[in-house]
Amino acid sequence: MAKMIKLVSGDGAEFEVEEEVAFQSKIIKDIVADADDVIPLPTVSSKVLIQVIEYCRKHAAVNSFPLSPSSSAAAAASSSSSISYSKPVSDPALRAWDNEFVKLNNSSLFDIVIAANYLDIEELVDLVLETVADRIKGKQAQEIRRQFNIENDFTPEEEEALRRENSWAFQNN
Amino acid sequence: MGAGVSSVVRLEGEAGGIPTGLGDLPENCVAAVLAYLEPLEICRVARLSRTFRGAASADLVWETKLPRNHRNLLALVSDEKNPNKKSRLCKKEIYARLCRPVPFDGGTKEFWLERISGGICMAISSRALLITGIDDRRYWNYLTTEESRFHSVAYLHQTWWFEVDGEIKFCFPAGSYSLFFRLHLGRATKRLGRRICITEHIHGWDIEPVRFQMATSDGQFARSKCYLDKIGSWILYHAGDFVVNNSDVPTNLKFSMKQIDCTHTKGGLCVDSVFIYPTGFREGKVFATDLMT
């Protein structure tokens, strides 16, 4: 019988999940090591927790039977930055599932990545951030501002200074 | 654990609240998003807001754009009088500096980071090449010109033995590179403000092809030949490709071009420089030289 962990969302909902699913979160893995089976997550709403658990459940099943080097091995091999840029998900079916999973509006994606960052679920963080990057790539500044509701909070002087500071990027050799 | 400030007050995803925005993400997350973009785009989005500006300067972002051996490359930059300042540069500043040409070996060579591919480009001037007979003014002399990044090219009047050799020892970042000779048949000059090409000395290139050769110390080798026949333009003649696996080990590269059939003379050629580009970056006006079996 698989060991169960109880996760409690900020709005009081309780979720019982298998240990290997919960352990997709490094934080939870560490906490449970100290013999604590009920884990309150006051900053995560049940709506977001459900989505995160869904991701973890799918990826726990795949990680149990790795066909290719697991993400943790790839992450260990990567550089000093805490977020890995290696692409651990080489299974096309899983990639397809991930791509469906992230078909959410920006606000929902941000909620998920904040929770995943808090829970230290590296692959989920990478997945969402890459999705956000894809939504920014190739777009004009105006459109990015509109889509992500970004306010221009620069003074004209700051804008000019920034233009000069980054002019090297726009020059040719 | 990096949770956003606003999460203390309300839960993420609470229905009816203000939708979670990009500004609610921890800065390392915004930086991680930017790291997926190209350098040019990163500098563009830096102008969106203060959050983006901060994230766009994060070391986390530029660390992924720099070649692994960027510290070795930075050591070759000598325009900082104060050596301490070089060690205090953030990754973005290092990247920006390496994108501008870095001269070395007394200014006879220079390298720079190519922004789009992230690979290293290099130019080796004619002054750094071993040209047979270069000291004999009957055969060769140097011309000042703005058409070379080194402002001077070697011009051949005529010779029996045409041979240009070169060598470079450098820690190239791992990757695949192509080596070219930049040549010009004819001598360009300005008359009445317009560029014209003087062709009077051009001869001997249609009898036998020029032979290009390239070899690395780890056994890679390329040989090819090509007739020079395009007059009046700078052409990059592709001599060969090489692959670097380890950016910490210097690659020792030798290359040459020859036309040493002494039954005829040849002349009227400008030799500018040897260029090394990441493979695929520069096709340009290249004549793929015939590979010899």
Side-chain angles (χ1 to χ4, degrees), chain A residues 9-115:
Chain A
S9 73
D11 44 352
E14 294 183 352
F15 301 87
E16 271 212 321
V17 295
E18 295 81 0
E19 189 181 71
E20 62 163 8
V21 174
F23 280 6
Q24 295 293 297
S25 157
K26 289 211 190 82
I27 299 291
I28 292 179
K29 200 169 177 179
D30 290 342
I31 293 176
V32 169
D34 294 336
D36 215 340
D37 291 358
V38 179
I39 298 172
L41 303 170
T43 59
V44 185
S45 75
S46 48
K47 173 188 173 225
V48 174
L49 192 51
I50 289 170
Q51 290 169 312
V52 171
I53 289 173
E54 186 192 343
Y55 177 92
C56 291
R57 179 155 284 131
K58 181 71 180 177
H59 280 247
V62 171
N63 284 338
S64 311
F65 305 100
L67 295 169
S68 47
S70 70
S71 65
S72 53
S78 73
S79 69
S80 56
S81 64
S82 60
I83 298 185
S84 102
Y85 298 100
S86 53
K87 294 285 190 83
V89 183
S90 50
D91 175 0
L94 189 58
R95 263 212 91 75
W97 188 94
D98 282 351
N99 289 339
E100 276 305 309
F101 180 79
V102 291
K103 284 187 178 159
L104 300 165
N105 63 30
N106 292 329
S107 173
S108 302
L109 281 187
F110 296 151
D111 290 336
I112 289 176
V113 80
I114 290 172

Side-chain angles (χ1 to χ4, degrees), chain B residues 166-178:
Chain B
E167 190 173 347
I168 178 85
K169 189 172 176 182
F170 195 82
C171 285
F172 289 93
S176 177
Y177 294 89
S178 301

Side-chain angles (χ1 to χ4, degrees), chain A residues 42-43 45 81 107 110-111 113-114 117 129 133 137-138 145 150-151 153-154 158 162 166 168-171 173, chain B residues 2 11-13 20 22 25-26 32-33 36-37 40-41 46-50 52 60 92 95-96 99 101 112 115:
Chain A
T43 59
S45 75
S81 64
S107 173
F110 296 151
D111 290 336
V113 80
I114 290 172
N117 193 39
L129 295 182
K137 265 182 200 168
R145 280 220 173 92
I150 300 169
E151 203 192 301
D153 51 359
F154 288 125
E158 281 176 323
L162 198 50
N166 287 338
W168 60 268
F170 301 90
Q171 281 161 8
N173 270 315
Chain B
L11 297 173
E12 292 96 10
T20 315
L22 210 43
L25 294 184
V33 170
Y36 285 106
L37 304 178
L40 189 57
E41 200 148 32
R47 305 213 284 241
L48 290 175
S49 75
R50 288 197 179 133
F52 273 87
L60 168 60
K92 180 181 171 195
Y95 188 90
C99 280
W112 63 98
R115 277 191 305 273

Side-chain angles (χ1 to χ4, degrees), chain B residues 93-109:
Chain B
E93 286 165 329
I94 295 176
Y95 188 90
R97 178 57 192 95
L98 292 180
C99 280
R100 287 188 289 120
V102 179
F104 63 106
D105 281 359
T108 60
K109 304 182 181 113

